[in-house]
Amino acid sequence: MKLGVCCTLWWNDDFPTIDADISFGQAVSEMALAGFQGCSIGHKYPSDPAALKAALDLRGLEISEPWTSTYFTIDEMRQKTIDSFEDTLARIKALGGTELVVAEFGASSHLLPIDVFANRPVFTDAQWDALTSGLEHLGKIANSAGMKLSYHHHMGTGVMTRADVDRLMASTDPSLVHLLLDTAHIAFAGDDPLDLARAHAERIGHVHLKSIRPEVVSRVREEGLSFQEGVELGVFTVPGDGAIDFRPILQVLADADYQGWLVVEAEQDPNKANPLEYAKKARAYLTDVLGW
């Protein structure tokens, strides 16, 4: 296993206004300083793969994942989704990465200033068929390139809850579509990350480790807040903070002989939560839990 960290501790890619003017160079230097081996890609990263690889190599970092949104459940977007995925795959392969992360954002409520729970899409059977066939197509492309595709369940989308994840896993080929276990997104949705890990341990191909603050989850539900409002209120935080106990979850992964990235993530406002402080807090917690 390798430990990575998402750049969402330093800035927010979904909501660029959540920013403390931290540069790419400072962010990746702090990732290395905190003791991580890899990182996700964000909007402040150099677009030139050679320049990006040189900057990461200098700090001893690898690419843990890119993010690619899919739009299989809405009209006239299948080929555009495939083309975008292939562009991302080529870039990540040039950087030496082997992981591809996707999430279906057709009709998602998470980017809009609306109640994230009440307005998230509920897919029809036809939309589910379009999604699963599309994901399997992407999985074949990934496999042929020596890459692995993992699906990220996400707040405000049509694959948000445990029931959604169960249906997706039951409807896709395990050799083509793996599961990205995001501990905080499933807890935010109202389900148990430990139960999800146990149920699909053999399908997990990638892991995002982040925690939640239950009092903020309650506010989002009760007040009908948007995903962005939840993030700004601090709904997410790093392992070692918040309400999730990661020890049994990591034990499930160990028992399943999970081999891959464990990526610390916390979509927090860097003006309120110092990124290096929280990155070091998470790394210290994982050192205690994992023993390395």
Side-chain angles (χ1 to χ4, degrees):
M1 290 188 289
K2 297 179 181 180
L3 286 178
V5 64
C6 278
C7 52
T8 52
L9 273 75
W10 285 266
W11 59 72
N12 195 291
D13 285 323
D14 285 338
F15 310 109
T17 57
I18 303 177
D19 197 317
D21 293 323
I22 297 171
S23 68
F24 161 75
Q26 179 183 336
V28 291
S29 294
E30 291 183 354
M31 291 172 187
L33 179 62
F36 291 96
Q37 298 162 280
C39 60
S40 63
I41 290 182
H43 73 275
K44 293 187 181 183
Y45 283 42
S47 58
D48 175 44
L52 175 53
K53 191 172 189 309
L56 296 178
D57 287 348
L58 182 64
R59 296 163 174 85
L61 294 173
E62 302 174 42
I63 290 296
S64 62
E65 80 226 48
W67 175 283
T68 299
S69 303
T70 64
Y71 298 94
F72 290 119
T73 61
I74 57 178
D75 293 339
E76 304 301 329
M77 286 299 295
R78 179 182 171 90
Q79 190 57 50
K80 290 180 181 179
T81 294
I82 293 168
D83 291 345
S84 175
F85 179 82
E86 289 180 325
D87 288 344
T88 300
L89 185 152
R91 183 182 183 207
I92 297 309
K93 194 161 188 177
L95 293 167
T98 60
E99 306 282 336
L100 293 158
V101 170
V102 300
E104 174 63 27
F105 278 1
S108 172
S109 67
H110 89 283
L111 292 177
L112 301 175
I114 57 179
D115 185 322
V116 68
F117 283 98
N119 293 289
R120 72 103 170 188
V122 177
F123 295 150
T124 65
D125 288 344
Q127 286 175 311
W128 273 107
D129 289 344
L131 174 60
T132 55
S133 67
L135 291 175
E136 289 188 335
H137 183 76
L138 298 186
K140 291 175 182 176
I141 295 172
N143 285 2
S144 67
M147 312 279 274
K148 180 171 64 178
L149 174 74
S150 294
Y151 187 90
H152 187 329
H153 53 94
H154 198 287
M155 285 297 299
T157 73
V159 186
M160 184 177 95
T161 67
R162 167 67 187 278
D164 300 329
V165 175
D166 288 348
R167 179 166 181 171
L168 184 70
M169 292 295 98
S171 304
T172 50
D173 185 335
S175 70
L176 300 175
V177 181
H178 303 272
L179 174 65
L180 186 156
L181 171 66
D182 188 301
T183 53
H185 273 276
I186 202 66
F188 193 173
D191 293 303
D192 186 342
L194 177 57
D195 285 347
L196 182 63
R198 286 172 172 156
H200 298 293
E202 302 302 324
R203 293 289 295 271
I204 295 172
H206 203 77
V207 179
H208 281 179
L209 299 176
K210 66 176 178 279
S211 194
I212 59 163
R213 296 184 173 100
E215 66 278 10
V216 181
V217 172
S218 295
R219 278 196 64 183
V220 173
R221 282 187 175 277
E222 292 166 7
E223 299 177 24
L225 302 182
S226 69
F227 183 69
Q228 180 175 353
E229 288 172 318
V231 169
E232 291 176 337
L233 287 169
V235 69
F236 295 129
T237 185
V238 297
D241 194 25
I244 296 177
D245 180 2
F246 289 87
R247 292 177 189 270
I249 296 171
L250 291 167
Q251 187 62 56
V252 168
L253 295 173
D255 292 343
D257 194 28
Y258 173 77
Q259 297 181 28
W261 285 98
L262 299 174
V263 182
V264 167
E265 188 180 16
E267 296 160 72
Q268 298 192 101
D269 184 344
N271 294 291
K272 301 174 182 177
N274 182 283
L276 179 57
E277 177 186 344
Y278 276 85
K280 292 179 70 175
K281 179 184 291 189
R283 187 64 181 93
Y285 172 81
L286 290 172
T287 296
D288 179 57
V289 173
L290 296 170
W292 53 276

